Short mmCIF file of all heavy atoms in Angstrom, two decimals:
data_model
loop_
_atom_site.label_atom_id
_atom_site.label_comp_id
_atom_site.label_asym_id
_atom_site.label_seq_id
_atom_site.Cartn_x
_atom_site.Cartn_y
_atom_site.Cartn_z
N LEU A 132 146.72 81.24 87.64
CA LEU A 132 147.05 81.63 86.28
C LEU A 132 148.25 82.58 86.25
O LEU A 132 148.59 83.23 87.18
CB LEU A 132 145.80 82.31 85.73
CG LEU A 132 144.53 81.56 85.72
CD1 LEU A 132 143.32 82.49 85.22
CD2 LEU A 132 144.60 80.45 84.63
N PRO A 133 148.95 82.59 85.11
CA PRO A 133 150.00 83.51 84.93
C PRO A 133 149.54 85.03 84.97
O PRO A 133 148.34 85.26 84.76
CB PRO A 133 150.51 83.20 83.57
CG PRO A 133 149.99 81.84 83.23
CD PRO A 133 148.64 81.70 84.02
N GLU A 134 150.28 85.93 85.42
CA GLU A 134 149.90 87.20 85.67
C GLU A 134 150.96 88.24 84.99
O GLU A 134 152.08 88.04 84.79
CB GLU A 134 149.85 87.61 87.12
CG GLU A 134 148.71 86.86 87.86
CD GLU A 134 148.88 87.12 89.31
OE1 GLU A 134 149.94 87.50 89.86
OE2 GLU A 134 147.99 86.98 90.12
N PHE A 135 150.27 89.44 84.68
CA PHE A 135 151.11 90.52 84.23
C PHE A 135 150.96 91.64 85.27
O PHE A 135 149.81 91.85 85.71
CB PHE A 135 150.64 91.10 82.83
CG PHE A 135 151.21 92.31 82.35
CD1 PHE A 135 152.50 92.30 81.97
CD2 PHE A 135 150.54 93.54 82.61
CE1 PHE A 135 153.07 93.58 81.54
CE2 PHE A 135 151.06 94.76 82.27
CZ PHE A 135 152.34 94.74 81.66
N MET A 136 152.05 92.33 85.67
CA MET A 136 152.10 93.43 86.59
C MET A 136 152.52 94.68 86.02
O MET A 136 153.52 94.77 85.41
CB MET A 136 152.95 92.85 87.74
CG MET A 136 152.90 93.88 88.87
SD MET A 136 153.98 93.36 90.38
CE MET A 136 153.86 94.73 91.42
N GLY A 137 151.79 95.65 86.33
CA GLY A 137 152.08 97.02 85.90
C GLY A 137 153.23 97.77 86.72
O GLY A 137 153.48 97.39 87.85
N SER A 138 153.89 98.65 85.97
CA SER A 138 154.88 99.43 86.69
C SER A 138 154.35 100.50 87.51
O SER A 138 153.24 100.86 87.39
CB SER A 138 155.94 99.88 85.63
OG SER A 138 156.46 98.90 84.89
N GLY A 139 155.14 101.15 88.45
CA GLY A 139 154.82 102.29 89.00
C GLY A 139 154.31 102.11 90.40
O GLY A 139 154.03 103.03 91.24
N GLY A 140 154.21 100.94 90.88
CA GLY A 140 153.69 100.57 92.21
C GLY A 140 154.75 100.63 93.23
O GLY A 140 155.92 100.79 92.91
N GLY A 141 154.35 100.68 94.52
CA GLY A 141 155.35 100.74 95.63
C GLY A 141 155.88 102.19 95.97
O GLY A 141 156.55 102.25 96.88
N VAL A 142 155.28 103.22 95.28
CA VAL A 142 155.74 104.51 95.71
C VAL A 142 154.48 105.45 95.79
O VAL A 142 153.43 105.23 95.15
CB VAL A 142 156.78 105.09 94.69
CG1 VAL A 142 158.05 104.39 94.65
CG2 VAL A 142 156.06 105.09 93.21
N GLY A 143 154.61 106.53 96.49
CA GLY A 143 153.51 107.55 96.56
C GLY A 143 152.35 106.82 97.21
O GLY A 143 152.16 106.03 97.92
N ILE A 144 151.21 107.27 96.43
CA ILE A 144 149.81 106.76 96.80
C ILE A 144 149.63 105.37 96.42
O ILE A 144 148.70 104.75 96.70
CB ILE A 144 148.78 107.74 96.19
CG1 ILE A 144 148.93 107.62 94.72
CG2 ILE A 144 148.87 109.14 96.76
CD1 ILE A 144 147.54 108.37 94.10
N PHE A 145 150.66 104.87 95.51
CA PHE A 145 150.47 103.46 95.19
C PHE A 145 151.37 102.51 95.88
O PHE A 145 151.60 101.38 95.55
CB PHE A 145 150.88 103.44 93.54
CG PHE A 145 150.08 104.21 92.71
CD1 PHE A 145 150.52 105.38 92.09
CD2 PHE A 145 148.72 103.91 92.56
CE1 PHE A 145 149.67 106.16 91.33
CE2 PHE A 145 147.93 104.69 91.60
CZ PHE A 145 148.47 105.83 91.10
N LYS A 146 152.06 103.07 97.03
CA LYS A 146 152.66 102.29 97.95
C LYS A 146 151.75 101.41 98.78
O LYS A 146 150.80 101.94 99.32
CB LYS A 146 153.61 103.04 98.72
CG LYS A 146 154.62 102.31 99.67
CD LYS A 146 155.34 103.27 100.51
CE LYS A 146 156.34 102.48 101.45
NZ LYS A 146 157.17 103.32 102.34
N VAL A 147 152.07 100.15 98.78
CA VAL A 147 151.11 99.25 99.60
C VAL A 147 151.43 99.53 101.04
O VAL A 147 152.38 99.62 101.49
CB VAL A 147 151.38 97.68 99.09
CG1 VAL A 147 151.08 97.60 97.65
CG2 VAL A 147 152.79 97.35 99.40
N PRO A 148 150.30 99.31 101.79
CA PRO A 148 150.40 99.47 103.27
C PRO A 148 151.27 98.23 103.78
O PRO A 148 151.36 97.28 103.28
CB PRO A 148 149.00 99.30 103.77
CG PRO A 148 148.23 99.56 102.55
CD PRO A 148 148.88 99.06 101.37
N ASN A 149 151.75 98.67 105.03
CA ASN A 149 152.52 97.47 105.66
C ASN A 149 151.79 97.01 106.89
O ASN A 149 151.05 97.59 107.41
CB ASN A 149 153.92 98.27 106.32
CG ASN A 149 154.62 98.70 105.12
OD1 ASN A 149 154.90 98.00 103.96
ND2 ASN A 149 155.53 99.77 105.41
N LYS A 150 152.07 95.81 107.29
CA LYS A 150 151.47 95.11 108.41
C LYS A 150 152.47 94.52 109.28
O LYS A 150 153.67 94.21 108.99
CB LYS A 150 150.47 93.96 107.84
CG LYS A 150 149.34 94.56 107.15
CD LYS A 150 148.45 95.26 107.99
CE LYS A 150 147.24 95.91 107.26
NZ LYS A 150 146.36 96.72 108.02
N ALA A 151 151.99 94.18 110.54
CA ALA A 151 152.94 93.43 111.43
C ALA A 151 152.05 92.70 112.44
O ALA A 151 150.85 93.13 112.63
CB ALA A 151 153.74 94.53 112.27
N ALA A 152 152.68 91.79 113.03
CA ALA A 152 151.81 90.92 114.06
C ALA A 152 151.32 91.79 115.14
O ALA A 152 150.21 91.68 115.61
CB ALA A 152 152.69 89.75 114.58
N VAL A 153 152.22 92.69 115.63
CA VAL A 153 151.80 93.63 116.72
C VAL A 153 152.30 95.06 116.07
O VAL A 153 153.47 95.22 115.70
CB VAL A 153 152.39 93.51 118.00
CG1 VAL A 153 152.03 94.56 119.02
CG2 VAL A 153 152.10 91.99 118.56
N ASN A 154 151.45 96.03 115.92
CA ASN A 154 151.66 97.24 115.30
C ASN A 154 152.96 97.94 115.95
O ASN A 154 152.93 98.20 117.11
CB ASN A 154 150.47 98.23 115.38
CG ASN A 154 150.62 99.39 114.50
OD1 ASN A 154 151.56 100.12 114.45
ND2 ASN A 154 149.68 99.62 113.59
N PRO A 155 153.96 98.24 115.29
CA PRO A 155 155.24 98.80 115.72
C PRO A 155 155.14 100.31 115.91
O PRO A 155 156.04 100.92 116.60
CB PRO A 155 156.21 98.43 114.76
CG PRO A 155 155.52 98.44 113.41
CD PRO A 155 154.13 97.83 113.79
N ASN A 156 154.02 100.95 115.42
CA ASN A 156 153.98 102.26 115.45
C ASN A 156 152.96 102.84 116.56
O ASN A 156 152.64 104.00 116.47
CB ASN A 156 153.58 102.85 114.13
CG ASN A 156 154.54 102.55 113.05
OD1 ASN A 156 155.66 103.14 113.04
ND2 ASN A 156 154.23 101.54 112.18
N ARG A 157 152.51 102.00 117.45
CA ARG A 157 151.73 102.43 118.56
C ARG A 157 151.87 101.49 119.75
O ARG A 157 152.35 100.35 119.53
CB ARG A 157 150.24 102.56 118.12
CG ARG A 157 149.71 101.16 117.91
CD ARG A 157 148.18 101.32 117.78
NE ARG A 157 147.59 100.05 117.51
CZ ARG A 157 146.48 99.74 116.95
NH1 ARG A 157 145.89 100.66 116.24
NH2 ARG A 157 145.91 98.54 116.85
N PRO A 158 151.64 101.94 120.98
CA PRO A 158 151.68 101.02 122.09
C PRO A 158 150.83 99.87 121.94
O PRO A 158 149.68 100.07 121.49
CB PRO A 158 151.50 101.89 123.30
CG PRO A 158 151.59 103.26 122.86
CD PRO A 158 151.15 103.25 121.35
N PRO A 159 151.17 98.74 122.48
CA PRO A 159 150.28 97.61 122.73
C PRO A 159 149.07 97.98 123.51
O PRO A 159 149.12 98.83 124.45
CB PRO A 159 151.01 96.57 123.36
CG PRO A 159 152.47 96.89 123.05
CD PRO A 159 152.60 98.38 123.08
N CYS A 160 147.89 97.37 123.30
CA CYS A 160 146.75 97.87 124.04
C CYS A 160 145.85 96.68 124.44
O CYS A 160 146.02 95.44 123.80
CB CYS A 160 145.93 98.67 123.17
SG CYS A 160 145.24 97.93 121.56
N LEU A 161 144.90 96.80 125.39
CA LEU A 161 144.05 95.76 125.83
C LEU A 161 142.78 96.04 125.03
O LEU A 161 142.19 97.07 125.11
CB LEU A 161 143.73 96.10 127.34
CG LEU A 161 142.51 95.39 127.88
CD1 LEU A 161 142.65 93.83 127.73
CD2 LEU A 161 142.26 95.78 129.27
N GLU A 162 142.37 95.12 124.27
CA GLU A 162 141.15 95.36 123.41
C GLU A 162 139.99 94.82 124.30
O GLU A 162 139.64 93.59 124.19
CB GLU A 162 141.21 94.53 122.14
CG GLU A 162 142.09 95.26 121.18
CD GLU A 162 141.99 94.81 119.72
OE1 GLU A 162 142.62 93.79 119.41
OE2 GLU A 162 141.14 95.44 118.94
#
Side-chain angles (χ1 to χ4, degrees):
L132 298 173
E134 294 177 335
F135 171 80
M136 181 176 178
S138 300
V142 296
I144 62 173
F145 301 107
K146 183 178 180 180
V147 296
N149 298 325
K150 293 293 180 183
V153 182
N154 194 308
N156 297 290
R157 73 177 183 205
C160 63
L161 163 65
E162 288 197 274

